[in-house]
């Protein structure tokens, strides 16, 4: 039971007296006056409806233009205006005596200017005449209930606007007057509340036989009951003199201790309106009217049952009724005046509450008025500010928490940054994260709060949330925890949320747990394992070299994550580029050698850098090894690696490595592979290995003839007795004719120990060969002179004497010649038809033409090569016998002066023909020779 004396009173309604419309002259209007003798009232469908004792029904629209019609002949006793239909139900009397009539009016239809009366029937329960005490109609027009003073209730079921489609029956009988009726519709269930002066009952009308239940054993007076709206769950309100009770169809609900004799009860937009006497009176006048009431002052109270305050309270003189229409309350008084109560807007009401610091009440009011979230947030903020200023920081933070999502978090954070209020700030930041509205800065601040409070349990609860409940920036949390020294928490977060880089950084740099870090890398997917080994490989190699080397071997050959983390794409192993991990082994040559040897064994196509590094490593080990047996083994390993054929593309690099480490066999092998025969010989020359120099010349002299010349020059410069080696070189030079004798003599002239006896045999043999060559050349010259004389005599003969053609056979078909025939000066004869068939030119002999063309091609080639200066210079430099080159070019006519004749002078045709004839004879002579 709630005592209303504890409820605060407000003035949430503005009271005014309704005045008549202003006239055309603009004069002040006077209060609006109601018609006299009003007995009953109702409202709905845009009008206030009145019934008077003179049988008239009046309508007052918003324009205040009264209209009326005569509904009965004697008086109107009850009215009920439906809210959803233009149907008005009235009860009145047309004749003297107790004979009430019910009339149903259709306000939208007219009958002679008046509303159409669609139904009339007597309101008598059975055959007993009695007075109607109350009336109610269901909004669906299927139920109408009439209560009587003798305790009876008549129910009309069906279409209440027509006699034919409805059925009237006696629903309730009792000994006490019925003072109130109300229909309650919930879904498809319909209940009827019946209240008398002594009890309250509910009937279920949606079930056959209409079962009923007695809810209470006390009742109320006339007009002291009403039905609430859905905000109060459609409860039936009964106002007694001591309390106001609320009822469900099957039980009694809460009650409120509103004392005083109740005269009128209504429900309006969530408010309970009660009109009561200003002073207490005897309850005898509760049902029957008491004339003494008319002169008493009456109090109108408007209660907000949900928020538990009095929204308005005022004293009126003799209230007839309180009607609700056009969004306002209209209070009718006996003096004919109408007072309008206009509810203030929500913002005004809230401001009134703010001024009194009634923030809780303001919040409840805002919720009941369905204020939006922004409006509620502003109330929470003001309430929080109020509590903060009063020093109630715990209460303030609770209000600020309710503003999350609307109020900027920095507004609240700044207020609670003081160390003494850090627990309040922690609560706010926790809620901010739970609603997923925190940024990285908020996460940092919250974690710092936990660490300052040393609240490990809260810290663990915060970070060990499930994956779907993470409300913070994980990376920021890891940074803060690491900075605060909570390494285990930071590692937990990094591992759970797969921040691999942070996990490894903390394990390696802070915790120094290298073994665990290496194990973690082995569980990562290939790409991440590869990148992290490149980043942290040196640190791991320094502390756990063996394990790190093994992981790198796997990573570069056939990597699969350990721990069952293989995904769908990890059925086949992946491998990294082993060359990229060589820098990881800095200062770990033993592990590097094991790694490189493993890679070359299991993966023959390893990158070139692997082989280069392995060669360098083996050469270093060989160079620094003191034990002869081990040194020999290392020597063989390095040479075997060189001979593996993996250094063809990096020949220079391998050669430099061997030279740097003085690896003789490797250097010589690479010289040989690179066909650097001169370098091989120079190497032996530097080491004064004379026999090796001769062996090199013998092995590679055929491929590079200048080796013998260089060998001769080398021995010639030696002051030692090298006659044996010089003789061997001279013998080969003589056999191959590699150098002119004069050059040989000049070369050996630099050696003081080389005497003439050293080259005696060479010079004698050379002079004998030249003498033989001179004799052969002189014989050839004599032969050419004789041939030339013969040709000249033949030419003279052709010029001076006739040519007799005595050929009897064709040179082509070898048949006997017949006229016509063709004869050439060369001595060949042809049938004319054979000549025409085989000849390509009319002026050339078909038999001599192939040979003549070869000679002509040679002549033309010589002429084309006359200007090839660069070619001549090149051959002259490269040849061992420059004199023969010059002689060859003399023979080609390169050094002859060439005269070009473009146009023949007239009159010299015969000379030209003669010259052509001489050339043909020359060609013929050469062929026969």
């Amino acid at each position: 039971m709630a005592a209303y004396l504890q409820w605060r009173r407000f003035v949430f309604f503005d009271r005014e007296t309704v005045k008549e419309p202003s006239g055309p002259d603009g004069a002040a209007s006077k209060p609006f006056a109601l018609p006299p003798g009003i007995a009953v009232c109702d409202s709905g469908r845009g009008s206030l409806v009145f019934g008077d004792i003179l049988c008239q029904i009046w309508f007052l629209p918003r324009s205040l233009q009264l209209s009326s019609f005569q509904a009965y002949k004697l008086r109107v006793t009850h009215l009920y205006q439906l809210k959803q239909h233009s149907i008005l139900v009235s009860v009145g009397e047309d004749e003297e005596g107790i004979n009430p009539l019910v009339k149903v009016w259709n306000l939208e239809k007219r009958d002679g200017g008046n509303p159409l009366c669609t139904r009339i029937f007597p309101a008598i329960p059975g055959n007993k005449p009695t007075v109607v005490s109350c009336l109610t109609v269901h909004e669906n027009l299927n139920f109408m209930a009439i209560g009587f003073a003798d305790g009876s209730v008549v129910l009309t079921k069906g279409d209440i606007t027509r006699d034919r489609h409805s059925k009237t029956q006696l629903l309730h009988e009792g000994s006490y007057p019925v003072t109130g009726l109300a229909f309650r519709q919930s879904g498809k269930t319909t209940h009827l509340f019946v209240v008398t002066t002594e009890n309250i009952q509910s009937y279920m009308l949606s079930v056959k036989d209409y079962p009923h239940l007695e809810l209470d054993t006390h009742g109320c007076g006339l007009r002291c009951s009403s039905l609430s709206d859905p905000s109060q769950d459609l409860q039936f309100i009964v106002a007694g003199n001591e309390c106001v009770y609320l009822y469900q169809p099957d039980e009694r609900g809460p009650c409120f201790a509103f004392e005083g004799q109740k005269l009128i009860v209504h429900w309006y937009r969530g408010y309970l309106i009660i009109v009561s006497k200003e002073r207490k009176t005897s309850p005898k006048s509760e049902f029957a009217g008491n004339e003494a009431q008319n002169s008493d002052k009456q109090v109108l109270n408007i209660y907000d049952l949900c928020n538990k305050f009095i929204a308005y309270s005022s004293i009126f003189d003799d209230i007839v009724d309180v009607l609700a229409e056009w969004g306002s309350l209209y209070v009718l008084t006996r003096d004919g005046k109408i007072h309008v109560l206009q509810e203030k807007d929500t913002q005004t009401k809230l401001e009134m509450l703010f001024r009194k610091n009634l923030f809780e009440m303001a919040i409840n009011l805002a919720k009941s008025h369905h204020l939006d979230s922004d409006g509620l947030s502003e109330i929470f903020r003001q309430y929080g500010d109020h509590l903060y200023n009063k020093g109630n920081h715990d209460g303030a933070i609770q209000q600020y928490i309710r503003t999350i999502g609307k109020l900027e978090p920095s507004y609240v954070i700044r207020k609670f940054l003081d160390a003494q209020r850090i627990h309040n700030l922690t609560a706010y930041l926790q809620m901010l994260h739970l609603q997923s509205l925190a940024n990285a800065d908020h996460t940092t601040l919250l974690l710092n709060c936990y660490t300052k409070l040393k609240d490990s349990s809260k810290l663990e609860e915060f970070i060990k949330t499930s994956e779907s409940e993470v409300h913070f920036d994980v990376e920021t949390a890891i940074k803060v925890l690491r900075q605060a020294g909570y390494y285990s928490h930071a590692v937990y977060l990094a591992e759970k949320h797969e921040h691999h880089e942070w996990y490894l950084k903390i394990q390696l740099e802070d915790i120094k747990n290298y073994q665990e870090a290496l194990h973690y890398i082995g569980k990562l997917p290939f790409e991440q394992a590869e990148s992290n080994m490149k980043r942290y490989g040196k640190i791991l190699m320094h502390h756990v070299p063996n394990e790190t080397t093994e992981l790198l071997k796997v990573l570069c050959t056939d990597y699969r994550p350990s721990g069952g983390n293989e995904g769908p794409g990890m059925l086949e192993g992946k491998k990294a580029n082993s060359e990229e991990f060589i820098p990881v082994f800095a200062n770990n040559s033993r592990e590097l050698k094991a790694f490189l040897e493993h890679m070359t064994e299991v993966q023959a196509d390893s990158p070139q850098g692997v082989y280069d590094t392995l060669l360098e490593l083996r050469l270093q080990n060989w160079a620094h090894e003191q034990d002869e047996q081990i040194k020999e083994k290392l020597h063989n390993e390095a040479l075997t690696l060189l001979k593996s054929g993996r250094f063809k593309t990096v020949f220079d690099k391998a050669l430099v490595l061997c030279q740097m480490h003085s690896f003789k066999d490797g250097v010589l092998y690479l010289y040989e592979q690179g066909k650097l025969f001169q370098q091989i010989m120079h190497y032996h020359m530097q080491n004064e290995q004379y026999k090796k120099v001769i062996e090199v010349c013998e092995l590679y002299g055929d491929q590079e003839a200048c080796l013998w010349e260089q060998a001769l020059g080398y021995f010639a410069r030696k002051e030692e007795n090298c006659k044996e080696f010089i003789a061997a070189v001279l013998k080969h030079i003589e056999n191959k004719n590699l150098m002119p004798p004069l050059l040989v003599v000049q070369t050996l002239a630099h050696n003081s120990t080389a005497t003439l006896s050293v080259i005696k045999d060479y010079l004698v043999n050379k002079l004998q060969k030249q003498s033989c060559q001179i004799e052969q050349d002189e014989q050839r010259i004599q032969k050419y002179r004789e041939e030339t004389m013969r040709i000249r005599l033949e030419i003279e003969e052709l010029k001076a004497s006739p040519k007799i053609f005595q050929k009897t056979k064709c040179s082509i078909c070898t048949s006997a010649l017949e006229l016509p025939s063709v004869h050439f000066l060369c001595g060949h004869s042809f049938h004319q038809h054979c000549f025409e068939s085989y000849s390509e030119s009319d002026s050339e002999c078909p038999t001599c033409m192939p040979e003549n063309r070869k000679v002509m091609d040679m002549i033309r080639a010589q002429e084309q090569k006359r200007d090839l200066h660069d070619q001549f210079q090149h051959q002259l430099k490269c040849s061992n016998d420059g004199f023969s080159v010059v002689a060859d070019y003399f023979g080609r006519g390169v050094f002859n002066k060439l005269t070009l004749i473009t146009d023949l002078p007239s009159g010299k045709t015969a000379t030209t023909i003669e010259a052509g004839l001489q050339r043909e004879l020359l060609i013929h002579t050469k062929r026969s020779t």
Side-chain angles (χ1 to χ4, degrees):
M1 180 181 293
Y4 83 101
L5 293 176
Q6 299 175 356
W7 288 17
R8 289 184 174 271
R9 295 175 181 267
F10 301 99
V11 183
F12 286 166
F13 286 82
D14 295 324
R15 173 179 172 177
E16 293 181 1
T17 302
V18 177
K19 297 182 179 180
E20 292 183 354
S22 301
D25 55 356
S29 56
K30 57 184 179 180
F32 183 83
L34 288 171
I38 290 178
V40 290
C41 307
D42 205 352
S43 63
R45 307 299 292 177
S47 296
L48 304 182
V49 185
F50 314 126
D52 61 15
I53 58 177
L54 301 175
C55 67
Q56 293 287 323
I57 293 179
W58 297 81
F59 295 95
L60 180 64
R62 196 164 192 175
S63 62
L64 302 181
Q65 301 295 325
L66 273 171
S67 62
S68 66
F69 72 95
Q70 184 176 347
Y72 294 90
K73 295 180 181 179
L74 290 180
R75 66 183 63 84
V76 180
T77 59
H78 295 83
L79 289 175
Y80 192 92
Q81 173 67 57
L82 277 80
K83 305 299 184 287
Q84 300 177 13
H85 302 276
S86 296
I87 300 296
L88 175 66
V89 180
S90 62
V91 178
E93 298 176 0
D94 280 343
E95 58 188 20
E96 294 292 342
I98 303 174
N99 188 20
L101 289 177
V102 178
K103 294 186 179 182
V104 181
W105 307 90
N106 189 334
L107 303 180
E108 293 180 347
K109 297 182 179 180
R110 295 288 169 177
D111 181 15
N114 295 329
L116 176 64
C117 182
T118 61
R119 183 180 182 186
I120 303 175
F121 65 93
I124 297 176
N127 296 322
K128 300 182 292 181
T130 182
V131 176
V132 174
S133 59
C134 53
L135 167 71
T136 187
V137 182
H138 199 290
E139 287 292 334
N140 63 11
L141 300 178
N142 287 327
F143 293 103
M144 179 170 62
I146 304 173
F148 296 90
D150 65 352
S152 302
V153 176
V154 173
L155 176 67
T156 299
K157 184 178 180 182
D159 188 354
I160 65 168
T161 62
R162 300 184 181 182
D163 292 322
R164 188 176 301 174
H165 297 93
S166 63
K167 179 181 178 183
T168 301
Q169 64 186 79
L170 183 64
L171 179 67
H172 172 80
E173 289 183 304
S175 305
Y176 305 104
V178 178
T179 56
L181 298 169
F183 287 108
R184 182 184 188 273
Q185 187 71 39
S186 177
K188 295 182 179 181
T189 304
T190 305
H191 289 90
L192 174 64
F193 290 101
V194 178
V195 57
T196 67
T197 56
E198 299 297 333
N199 59 31
I200 304 170
Q201 298 186 38
S202 70
Y203 286 83
M204 183 179 292
L205 304 183
S206 52
V207 179
K208 191 176 181 180
D209 297 333
Y210 307 139
H212 69 280
L213 176 67
E214 185 174 12
L215 299 177
D216 217 331
T217 55
H218 59 79
C220 66
L222 279 172
R223 301 197 298 174
C224 290
S225 63
S226 183
L227 187 72
S228 69
D229 57 19
S231 66
Q232 284 291 333
D233 199 19
L234 297 173
Q235 296 184 94
F236 186 55
I237 302 170
V238 176
N241 288 338
E242 300 297 332
C243 294
V244 173
Y245 299 92
L246 277 69
Y247 297 92
Q248 294 283 357
D250 54 353
E251 63 179 352
R252 191 177 83 175
C255 66
F256 300 89
F258 301 149
E259 296 182 354
Q261 182 180 351
K262 315 300 188 296
L263 303 178
I264 301 173
V265 173
H266 287 293
W267 185 266
Y268 168 73
R269 290 187 177 181
Y271 292 113
L272 175 63
I273 303 168
I274 297 179
V275 178
S276 58
K277 279 197 171 186
E278 188 180 20
R279 56 182 179 148
K280 295 182 179 180
T281 59
S282 173
K284 293 180 180 180
S285 61
E286 202 172 273
F287 177 75
N290 188 348
E291 294 180 0
Q293 295 177 10
N294 296 334
S295 59
D296 292 338
K297 296 287 185 179
Q298 297 172 352
V299 179
L300 183 144
N301 289 319
I302 302 177
Y303 299 96
D304 187 331
L305 300 184
C306 180
N307 299 311
K308 294 183 172 52
F309 63 80
I310 300 174
Y312 183 77
S313 180
S314 182
I315 297 176
F316 291 87
D317 292 330
D318 201 358
I319 297 174
V320 176
D321 208 342
V322 180
L323 305 177
E325 192 66 27
W326 310 309
S328 301
L329 290 174
Y330 292 87
V331 182
L332 282 60
T333 56
R334 289 291 174 190
D335 57 5
K337 294 181 180 180
I338 303 177
H339 304 274
V340 60
L341 300 179
Q342 182 69 43
E343 186 177 7
K344 298 178 185 292
D345 62 83
T346 303
Q347 190 60 39
T348 302
K349 291 189 283 188
L350 291 176
E351 290 175 357
M352 294 171 64
L353 294 174
F354 293 157
R355 286 194 292 268
K356 297 181 179 182
N357 295 325
L358 300 175
F359 293 99
E360 285 288 353
M361 191 170 289
I363 292 169
N364 296 332
L365 179 66
K367 289 180 178 179
S368 64
H369 283 65
H370 305 291
L371 199 65
D372 61 14
S373 57
D374 292 334
L376 282 171
S377 177
E378 178 60 21
I379 298 174
F380 296 143
R381 184 195 66 78
Q382 293 189 37
Y383 191 19
D385 291 345
H386 171 70
L387 294 175
Y388 182 86
N389 294 331
K390 288 177 62 177
N392 184 1
H393 299 118
D394 293 339
I397 203 66
Q398 293 304 317
Q399 299 307 316
Y400 288 134
I401 286 174
R402 300 168 80 177
T403 66
I404 290 177
K406 299 297 181 182
L407 183 63
E408 176 62 35
S410 59
Y411 177 87
V412 180
I413 293 172
R414 283 196 299 267
K415 290 178 176 291
F416 292 90
L417 282 177
D418 190 353
Q420 296 179 354
R421 294 190 283 275
I422 194 171
H423 63 282
N424 299 127
L425 181 58
T426 303
Y428 179 80
L429 291 171
Q430 280 179 338
M431 192 59 63
L432 197 65
H433 282 80
L434 285 176
Q435 297 188 24
S436 301
L437 296 173
N439 57 30
D441 294 332
H442 299 148
T443 302
T444 302
L445 189 57
L446 177 58
L447 293 174
N448 283 329
C449 289
Y450 283 141
T451 55
K452 287 283 177 36
L453 294 172
K454 301 187 182 303
D455 193 345
S456 298
S457 60
K458 283 287 185 181
L459 180 60
E460 289 189 6
E461 181 183 351
F462 176 73
I463 66 173
K464 292 186 178 180
T465 53
S466 65
E467 185 68 27
S468 60
E469 297 176 351
V470 176
H471 305 289
F472 57 89
D473 183 75
V474 176
E475 186 171 357
T476 300
I478 294 172
K479 290 179 183 178
V480 176
L481 290 171
R482 183 190 183 198
Q483 186 176 8
Y486 286 79
Y487 300 128
S488 60
H489 297 79
V491 164
Y492 171 83
L493 273 182
E495 183 176 9
K496 178 180 178 182
H497 299 284
E498 298 183 352
H499 286 259
H500 310 307
E501 183 176 344
W502 281 107
Y503 179 91
L504 295 172
K505 188 177 292 187
I506 297 170
Q507 287 281 23
L508 295 173
E509 298 177 8
D510 300 319
I511 304 177
K512 311 292 185 183
N513 191 344
Y514 305 104
Q515 194 73 40
E516 183 63 31
L518 190 65
H519 178 68
Y520 183 82
I521 293 176
K523 297 189 294 184
L524 297 178
F526 171 76
E527 290 78 8
Q528 296 171 358
E530 180 185 22
S531 63
N532 282 293
M533 281 305 295
K534 290 177 181 178
R535 182 172 301 169
Y536 302 109
K538 289 184 179 180
I539 300 175
L540 293 169
M541 183 63 66
H542 179 71
H543 293 91
V544 282
N546 294 331
E547 294 83 351
T548 305
T549 304
E550 291 302 317
L551 178 58
L552 285 175
K553 288 179 181 179
V554 175
L555 186 65
C556 296
T557 52
D558 186 18
Y559 179 77
R560 289 182 176 85
S562 62
N565 293 331
E566 294 92 341
M570 291 299 294
L571 297 178
E572 296 184 3
K574 296 184 178 181
K575 57 183 179 180
N577 185 350
S578 52
E579 184 178 1
E580 296 177 356
F581 292 96
I582 292 175
V584 170
F585 293 89
N587 303 321
N588 293 81
S589 58
R590 183 173 60 86
E591 287 76 15
L592 175 59
K593 183 182 177 185
F595 172 73
L596 295 176
E597 289 178 347
H598 172 79
M599 293 307 303
T600 55
E601 290 173 5
V602 303
Q603 189 175 318
D605 59 342
S606 295
Q608 185 60 43
V610 172
Y611 288 91
D612 295 345
T613 308
L614 181 58
L615 175 62
E616 182 178 3
L617 197 61
R618 286 183 175 180
L619 291 175
Q620 285 179 354
N621 294 339
W622 172 81
H624 294 90
E625 184 58 51
Q626 301 297 326
D627 190 314
E628 290 299 327
Q629 292 183 350
I630 299 176
K631 192 176 184 73
E632 181 64 23
K633 180 182 178 183
L634 294 174
H635 174 278
N636 295 333
E637 289 178 353
L639 196 58
T640 302
L641 182 60
L642 275 176
K643 293 181 179 180
S644 65
R646 294 294 307 185
F647 298 93
K648 295 180 180 179
T649 58
V650 289
F651 174 83
D652 295 340
K653 187 174 182 180
L655 183 58
V656 169
L657 288 173
C658 291
Q659 291 173 342
M660 287 173 57
H661 296 88
S662 302
F663 190 56
K664 171 187 171 182
D665 292 346
V667 170
L668 293 176
Y669 173 78
L670 291 173
Y671 281 161
E672 182 180 357
Q673 293 298 309
K675 296 184 178 181
L676 302 177
F677 307 128
Q678 294 187 36
Q679 280 77 0
I680 297 175
M681 190 172 68
H682 289 164
Y683 180 85
H684 293 310
M685 288 177 178
Q686 291 174 358
N687 294 284
E688 297 185 349
Q689 297 174 333
Y690 302 149
K691 292 184 179 180
K692 292 288 185 180
V693 171
I694 299 299
E695 290 178 3
V696 170
C697 291
E698 290 175 349
L699 288 173
Y700 311 117
D702 294 338
Q703 301 180 46
E704 197 164 344
C706 64
L707 292 177
W708 292 103
E709 299 176 17
Q710 295 176 11
L712 181 62
Y714 169 72
F715 289 123
R717 289 190 296 271
K718 289 294 181 181
E719 297 299 328
E720 303 174 11
N721 189 2
C722 300
K723 294 180 180 181
E724 178 185 354
F725 304 108
I726 292 175
V729 173
L730 286 175
K731 183 179 179 180
H732 192 86
I733 290 175
E734 179 186 355
N735 293 336
K736 297 294 183 178
N737 193 23
L738 298 177
M739 293 176 66
L742 183 59
L743 185 59
V744 172
V745 174
Q746 290 176 347
T747 302
L748 292 176
H750 298 288
N751 191 332
S752 60
T753 62
T755 61
L756 186 60
S757 60
V758 176
I759 61 171
K760 176 182 177 181
D761 294 338
Y762 168 76
L763 291 176
V764 169
N765 293 334
K766 199 67 177 175
L767 290 173
Q768 288 177 352
K769 288 182 180 180
Q770 288 183 353
S771 297
C772 293
Q773 184 66 36
I774 290 171
E775 291 178 1
Q776 292 177 1
D777 290 344
E778 288 177 349
Q779 292 176 1
R780 193 178 294 113
I781 289 170
Q782 183 61 33
K783 182 179 178 182
Y784 286 159
R785 284 176 178 173
E786 293 175 356
E787 184 69 23
T788 302
M789 286 300 295
R790 186 185 64 78
I791 292 173
R792 284 178 179 174
L793 291 175
E794 187 176 349
I795 292 172
E796 288 297 329
E797 184 181 353
L798 287 173
K799 288 181 180 180
S801 60
K803 175 72 174 175
I804 299 173
F805 299 103
Q806 296 179 345
K807 284 280 188 180
T808 60
K809 291 184 180 181
C810 176
S811 298
I812 294 178
C813 66
T814 67
S815 299
L817 280 176
E818 297 177 356
L819 295 177
S821 60
V822 179
H823 304 274
F824 285 88
L825 293 176
C826 60
H828 295 105
S829 299
F830 308 93
H831 293 113
Q832 184 174 358
H833 62 84
C834 290
F835 175 76
E836 291 175 350
S837 300
Y838 290 94
S839 176
E840 295 180 5
S841 174
D842 293 342
S843 60
E844 290 187 81
C845 173
T847 303
C848 299
M849 184 176 63
E851 293 297 327
N852 291 342
R853 284 191 176 181
K854 290 181 181 180
V855 175
M856 295 303 294
D857 289 341
M858 292 173 61
I859 294 172
R860 279 193 292 268
Q862 289 179 356
E863 291 176 351
Q864 290 174 357
K865 293 180 180 179
R866 286 179 181 179
D867 296 329
L868 301 180
H869 177 72
D870 293 338
Q871 184 178 356
F872 168 70
Q873 293 290 340
H874 177 71
Q875 292 184 4
L876 187 62
K877 291 179 180 179
C878 296
S879 175
N880 294 325
D881 189 1
F883 183 79
S884 62
V885 175
V886 175
D888 180 54
Y889 273 82
F890 262 113
R892 295 182 190 178
V894 173
F895 302 107
N896 294 342
K897 185 177 181 181
L898 182 63
T899 303
L900 296 177
I901 301 175
T902 56
D903 293 325
L904 289 174
S906 59
K908 293 190 177 181
T909 307
T911 306
T912 307
I913 295 174
E914 184 179 353
L917 181 60
Q918 291 178 355
R919 174 170 289 188
E920 287 188 8
L921 289 173
L922 178 62
I923 295 173
H924 173 71
T925 303
K926 287 187 175 182
R927 294 281 78 83
S928 62
T929 302

